[in-house]
């Protein structure tokens, strides 16, 4: 019996136990409703309060969804009313109602805009950095010192999230993770996603949601789960928003600026965000490769200067009290000029130097992307029946020019001779078209609710690379390295899910089916066509032991399709001895995932996570001992399993001292075959983080934190320990309408990627160092004031997450 079968049996036993608990629960029911403005537009992030009568005691409270909805569960029999509140709106209160055995539908509450602006808002209590829910973990980014940081920096602070040597996002030990922004996929992966996240300032982020087992209504893409980045958006009537400026200094300087604006009037809400920056950076990769009786000591230094920007603009319109229409346009650009240098020295085992090679690799690259999203929502009636539809058109383009100038030095020689001289020009374009429709149906008079929907998407990707080689008569086409690649994909999907509650027990189950048809056609090489259908079940259970304690469980089956550019068979050089090549024969990865949680209030007392992947895609290095060339290519690893036990949450030691701690331990096992030889890696690892916030007089806030990652297994890499200590200071000025932030990241300059590779004939040591120690100063200010609201989901869910560079 395999491990996952044991977990499935454990999950079933847990459901039976929870059901037994629920049978002993007091007869309880639910109350549902919506909060709207006067125009009938849903008000997201309003506060709905369940008030018990006649003593006006607060029985429960919660924040409304992006559709303005709320649902109070496990209500004891009695007489109640609901009160709705939202900053810059007048509060509203429902008529009294009686709760007995049947669910209660509360008439919609409509809030009117306040006649005068609020001059001062006093906030009591502190939002924790981490919020634990049955199906997701939420990171409240405002609780962190994000001065000068980017979205990629913030992701690294989320529980279970790390970066590999190329800054690719890794979640639960797997690179098969889907990254979304405002419930929309980024339509990028690899270096393209990393570049985009580096251009998105952390100051624009409200929350990060970590979903290891997303529901059936979401795309099945992401074997490890989904990371959803929620951006800030003002909901105040009229013009409001924020702007920010920043300066940073690592080894080199950086600067950036941005603004986030909203204009809300009547039935129309307009929004726009613009961010731009100049980033002067540095990266040094040191490699030691052992080949037979020789050691190859390589040092590659990359010095990029990047100009990048992103923009988002759109509108939401309330057509009627029950219908709304939305449009959003987003995009971005980047231009990078870089000089990469490589120095490779060969020695024998005794350390005696041999020949060496130097390479100058000037590079110029640029990219841009545009995405158009249309959205329609129709609330069919007041019972919660809802129909929604979305359509997307996305286009990505990138280009890169490089020169490779090699010089060879004999042993002990000061003067070298020119060796192979190459130049290349590469380009890529990807177009994605997607549409989806969703329907929600609550069964009136019962506690059951069903959701169903369908989606279809079409992807076309075209890439070309041309190499020229210097010969006696000048530049000539290198036909062996020149290639073209065309990729077409069509996915059709449908799903059905149901959920219900029995007292304190909440259950949800879903099934999603996806049909995938792909064709990859290189100019040189065979055509690769795939046609497959997969089913993806998911199930969730949550039981509230009492007001402070909750246990939950979730299980799902998921898929990660190869990134489009990973299928591209082109050969790209890093230096004379190292290269990277795509793999058109990659198969999709499949996973089985189980998560068990025990929560005390918002503190994750214990979380057990199990992830088993087949055909996971990882970089595999093959080595030619005759030419001394190492080539990295994505390949499928047969089996990868990760078992993780974690605990953490927020604690207020004093009123002025809050702490957010996280501790986790994992066991990772990889089994596969490389070059017809079995390879097995296994290791225990652990990581810990602690963030301390001190509230000081005169509106100062001191932040001290850090983290440690023990040695671990990441794909075929044995990673070594790493860690960092960070310091920060914030000062609120201008009647708390503006904030100055100073931050020193990685005070002791200890955060870097160090690893070893040891399998078949590969024996390598890696040490990747970047500008981890940085000093940043940022200024941000409000334009007006207001709450934030989440944005709608896009139709193109999976496809964007697989666009590379």
């Amino acid at each position: 019996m395999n491990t996952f079968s044991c977990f499935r049996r454990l999950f079933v036993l847990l459901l039976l136990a929870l059901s037994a608990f629920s049978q002993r629960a007091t007869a309880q029911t639910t109350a549902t409703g919506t909060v709207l403005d006067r125009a009938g537009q849903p008000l997201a992030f309003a506060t709905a309060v369940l008030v018990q009568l006649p003593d006006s005691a607060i029985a429960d409270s919660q924040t409304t969804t992006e559709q303005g909805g709320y649902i109070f569960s496990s209500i004891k029999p009695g007489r109640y009313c609901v009160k709705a509140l939202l900053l810059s709106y007048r509060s509203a209160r429902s008529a009294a109602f009686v709760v007995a055995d049947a669910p209660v539908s509360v008439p919609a509450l409509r809030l009117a805009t306040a006649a005068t602006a609020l001059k001062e808002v006093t906030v009591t209590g502190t939002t924790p950095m981490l919020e634990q829910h049955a199906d997701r973990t939420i990171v409240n980014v405002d609780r962190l010192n994000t001065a000068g940081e980017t979205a990629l920096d913030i992701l690294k602070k989320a529980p279970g999230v790390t970066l590999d040597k190329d800054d690719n996002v890794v979640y639960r030990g797997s690179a098969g993770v889907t990254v979304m922004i405002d419930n929309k996929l980024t339509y990028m992966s690899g270096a393209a996603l990393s570049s985009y996240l580096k251009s998105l300032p952390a100051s624009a982020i409200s929350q990060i949601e970590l979903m290891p087992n997303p529901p059936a209504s979401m795309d099945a893409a992401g074997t490890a789960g989904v990371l959803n980045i929620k951006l800030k958006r003002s909901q105040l009537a009229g013009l409001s928003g924020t702007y920010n400026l920043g300066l940073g200094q690592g080894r080199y300087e950086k600067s950036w600026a941005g603004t986030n604006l909203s204009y809300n009037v009547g039935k129309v809400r307009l929004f726009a965000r613009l961010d731009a920056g100049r980033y002067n950076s540095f990266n040094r990769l040191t490699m030691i490769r052992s080949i037979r009786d020789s050691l190859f000591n390589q040092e590659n230094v990359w010095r990029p200067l990047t100009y990048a920007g992103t923009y988002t603009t759109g509108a939401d319109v309330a057509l009627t009290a029950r219908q709304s229409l939305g449009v959003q346009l987003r995009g971005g650009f980047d231009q990078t000029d870089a000089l990469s240098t490589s120095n490779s020295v060969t020695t024998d085992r005794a350390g005696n130097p041999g020949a060496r090679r130097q390479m100058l690799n000037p590079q110029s690259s640029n990219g841009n992307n545009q995405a158009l999203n249309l959205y329609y929502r129709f609330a069919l009636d007041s019972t919660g029946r809802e129909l929604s539809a979305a359509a997307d058109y996305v286009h990505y383009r990138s280009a890169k020019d490089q020169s490779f100038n090699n010089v060879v030095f004999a042993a002990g020689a000061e003067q070298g001779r020119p060796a192979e001289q190459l130049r290349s020009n590469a380009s890529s374009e990807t177009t994605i078209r997607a549409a989806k429709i969703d329907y929600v149906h609550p069964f009136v008079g019962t506690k059951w609710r069903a959701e169903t929907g369908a989606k279809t998407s079409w992807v076309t990707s075209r890439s070309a690379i041309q190499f020229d080689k210097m010969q006696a008569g000048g530049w000539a086409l290198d036909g062996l390295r020149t290639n073209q690649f065309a990729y077409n994909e069509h996915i059709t999907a449908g799903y059905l899910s149901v959920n219900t509650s029995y007292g304190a027990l909440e259950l949800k189950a879903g099934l999603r089916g996806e049909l995938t048809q792909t064709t990859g056609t290189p100019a040189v090489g065979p055509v690769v066509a795939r046609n497959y259908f997969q089913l993806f079940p998911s199930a969730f259970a949550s039981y509230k032991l009492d007001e402070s304690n909750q246990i939950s469980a979730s299980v799902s089956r998921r898929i990660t399709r190869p990134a489009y550019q990973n299928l591209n068979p082109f050969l790209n050089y890093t230096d004379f001895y190292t290269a990277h090549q795509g793999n058109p024969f990659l198969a999709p990865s499949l996973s089985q995932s189980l998560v068990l949680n025990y929560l005390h209030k918002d503190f994750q007392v214990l979380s057990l996570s199990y992830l088993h992947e087949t055909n996971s895609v990882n970089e595999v290095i093959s080595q030619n001992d005759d030419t001394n060339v190492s080539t990295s290519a994505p390949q499928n690893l047969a089996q990868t399993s990760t078992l993780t036990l974690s605990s953490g949450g927020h604690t207020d030691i004093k009123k002025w001292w809050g702490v957010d701690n996280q501790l986790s331990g994992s066991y990772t096992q990889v089994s596969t075959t490389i070059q017809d030889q079995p390879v097995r890696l296994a290791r225990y690892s652990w990581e810990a983080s602690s963030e301390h916030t001190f509230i000081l007089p005169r509106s100062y806030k001191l932040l001290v934190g850090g983290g440690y990652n023990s040695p671990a297994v990441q794909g075929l890499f044995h990673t070594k320990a790493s860690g960092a200590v960070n310091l920060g200071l914030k000062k609120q000025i201008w009647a708390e309408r503006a904030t100055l932030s100073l931050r020193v990241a990685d005070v002791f300059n200890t955060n870097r990627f160090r690893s070893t590779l040891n399998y078949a004939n590969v024996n390598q040591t890696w040490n990747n160092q970047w500008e981890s120690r940085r000093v940043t100063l940022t200024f941000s200010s409000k334009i007006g004031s207001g709450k934030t609201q989440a944005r709608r989901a896009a139709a193109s869910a999976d496809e964007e997450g697989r666009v590379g560079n």
Side-chain angles (χ1 to χ4, degrees), residues 187 370-372 392-396 430-433 796 800:
Y187 293 91
Q370 302 86 32
L372 176 65
D392 288 278
Y393 176 83
V394 185
H395 183 262
Y396 285 87
T430 300
T431 302
I432 301 166
R433 297 163 294 274
S796 42
E800 286 198 51

Side-chain angles (χ1 to χ4, degrees), residues 246-257:
L247 296 172
Q249 181 70 45
R251 178 168 293 200
Y252 302 100
E253 76 288 348
K254 301 121 180 50
S255 59
W256 57 90

Side-chain angles (χ1 to χ4, degrees), residues 361 400 402-404 420-426 464-470 475-483 570-574 579-580:
N361 174 213
K400 187 174 186 177
Q402 298 187 78
S403 296
F404 306 87
E420 188 175 46
Q421 310 294 305
L422 299 170
R423 68 184 185 188
S424 69
N425 174 274
I465 189 168
Q466 177 178 315
F467 268 93
D468 297 325
K469 186 175 183 178
M470 177 61 74
W475 291 104
L477 180 69
D478 188 339
L480 294 178
R481 296 183 173 99
T482 297
N483 206 344
F570 297 172
L571 187 67
N572 294 286
Y573 289 92
T574 303
H580 180 273

Side-chain angles (χ1 to χ4, degrees), residues 312-368:
T312 302
T313 184
D316 294 318
V317 182
L319 302 176
T320 67
R322 292 183 178 177
Q323 297 183 74
S324 59
L325 180 68
V327 59
Q328 177 175 300
L329 176 67
R330 68 172 172 84
F333 72 91
D334 63 87
Q335 171 67 49
T336 299
D337 293 306
L339 177 62
S340 178
T341 60
S342 174
N343 186 36
S344 179
V345 179
T346 306
T347 65
D348 59 21
R349 293 291 180 181
N352 299 312
R356 64 186 177 96
R357 286 180 176 269
Q358 288 183 350
M359 186 187 75
L360 293 178
N361 174 213
Q363 310 169 10
S364 178
S365 63
N366 64 81
N368 62 70

Side-chain angles (χ1 to χ4, degrees), residues 67 322-324 375-381 384-390 436-441 452-453:
Q67 289 81 33
R322 292 183 178 177
Q323 297 183 74
S324 59
Y375 175 84
Y376 172 75
R377 171 185 168 271
F378 182 24
L380 300 174
D381 53 36
R385 290 197 305 136
E386 181 177 299
L387 181 69
S388 61
K436 70 171 186 174
I437 186 169
D438 300 280
Y439 174 66
V440 178
H441 186 93
T452 188

